[in-house]
Amino acid sequence: MANCITKHIPNTLTCCNLLSGCMAVITAFSGNAWHTLLWVVCGAVFDFLDGFSARLLKAYSPLGKELDSLADLITFGLSPAVLCWRVLQAYVYPCSCVERFFPYIAFVMAAFAALRLAKFNIDDRQTTSFRGLAVPANALFWCGLFQLDLSAVAAASYFIGVLAIAFAFLMISDIPMFSLKFKNLDWSQNKVRFIFLLGAVIIMILAGFLCEGNAPARKGLWLVMLWYISLSLLTKGQF
């Protein structure tokens, strides 16, 4: 009986990730970047816990693997794309044709997130590190970026559009990127991870001092994701 219950714990946590993603999509449609970020973070916590519990309980299953990808697509693929679309809709464009179609460029991220997750499921090289930007990192970048008020920057919409395309291709690229999974606390085996965490703390503290408004530290989250990408490129897979 106990075994029957424990084997369903990882999938239950994955479903909690999926539900968090659904809530993130709803808040993204309303343009509430702060609540979208909160739900994405909740999804990320459940995403970590489902993998952790599966390893702890040795409750691996093909169903769990596929369910995890489906949940991640909603939480980390669709929700940031919807939020990006909603932000792009708020800008004034030079002609009605651009205004009508340009915001939908955001959904390229959702499509490429699906490709990224499918690629991850069949790529044996990604057991201890990643090839391309992981979809949770992509989602945290966008949800963090939209904590900033970009509405006053007239050209920001085009920059966001180009950035959306760039990050979409980054997700399916073959660039090695380190994972934050610690197997132990040995410095020699985890020095890149420790350096990243130290840099992330410094960035968040500086953001708290330099940014104005409520909970200013969250406005540095997108810089943390850029720090992660930059450190992955600098180490060139040597982690």
Side-chain angles (χ1 to χ4, degrees):
M1 181 65 179
N3 288 338
C4 183
I5 294 174
T6 55
K7 75 177 183 179
H8 292 297
I9 290 176
N11 288 349
T12 301
L13 292 168
T14 303
C15 288
C16 289
N17 173 15
L18 177 58
L19 291 172
S20 298
C22 292
M23 295 303 298
V25 170
I26 291 172
T27 55
F29 267 116
S30 68
N32 192 324
W34 172 227
H35 287 170
T36 301
L37 174 60
L38 287 177
W39 284 114
V40 166
V41 170
C42 284
V45 171
F46 286 123
D47 188 42
F48 168 79
L49 290 175
D50 68 8
F52 179 78
S53 63
R55 291 189 295 271
L56 183 66
L57 302 172
K58 297 182 180 179
Y60 300 103
S61 70
L63 173 64
K65 183 178 181 180
E66 300 304 322
L67 182 62
D68 185 67
S69 292
L70 293 171
D72 286 355
L73 179 58
I74 300 299
T75 306
F76 309 120
L78 182 59
S79 67
V82 171
L83 184 60
C84 185
W85 165 79
R86 186 68 178 81
V87 169
L88 289 176
Q89 277 196 322
Y91 285 90
V92 177
Y93 296 92
C95 67
S96 59
C97 182
V98 175
E99 184 174 1
R100 184 178 302 174
F101 296 108
F102 186 77
Y104 291 93
I105 200 171
F107 290 104
V108 172
M109 283 196 297
F112 277 60
L115 289 172
R116 166 78 181 89
L117 290 164
K119 180 181 176 182
F120 177 81
N121 283 348
I122 61 173
D123 192 344
D124 294 334
R125 298 174 300 170
Q126 301 194 56
T127 54
T128 57
S129 62
F130 299 124
R131 294 281 172 165
L133 183 65
V135 290
N138 178 69
L140 289 172
F141 170 81
W142 287 100
C143 291
L145 179 65
F146 292 136
Q147 301 307 306
L148 303 175
D149 183 9
L150 304 174
S151 59
V153 185
S157 60
Y158 300 106
F159 176 73
I160 291 170
V162 171
L163 207 59
I165 297 296
F167 269 73
F169 279 98
L170 192 58
M171 281 190 284
I172 63 166
S173 71
D174 207 41
I175 299 172
M177 295 195 176
F178 62 91
S179 166
L180 285 175
K181 295 178 181 178
F182 286 83
K183 291 185 177 179
N184 54 59
L185 297 177
D186 183 78
W187 166 258
S188 62
Q189 297 181 38
N190 298 287
K191 59 183 177 181
V192 175
R193 297 175 179 86
F194 284 125
I195 292 170
F196 167 74
L197 291 175
L198 177 61
V201 170
I202 293 172
I203 289 170
M204 296 298 280
I205 291 173
L206 290 176
F209 282 114
L210 299 176
C211 296
E212 298 179 356
N214 296 325
R218 71 178 187 242
K219 297 179 180 179
L221 183 59
W222 67 282
L223 290 173
V224 172
M225 293 300 104
L226 286 184
W227 164 236
Y228 167 75
I229 295 169
S230 301
L231 190 57
S232 293
L233 294 174
L234 287 171
T235 52
K236 298 179 181 179
Q238 301 303 310
F239 36 75

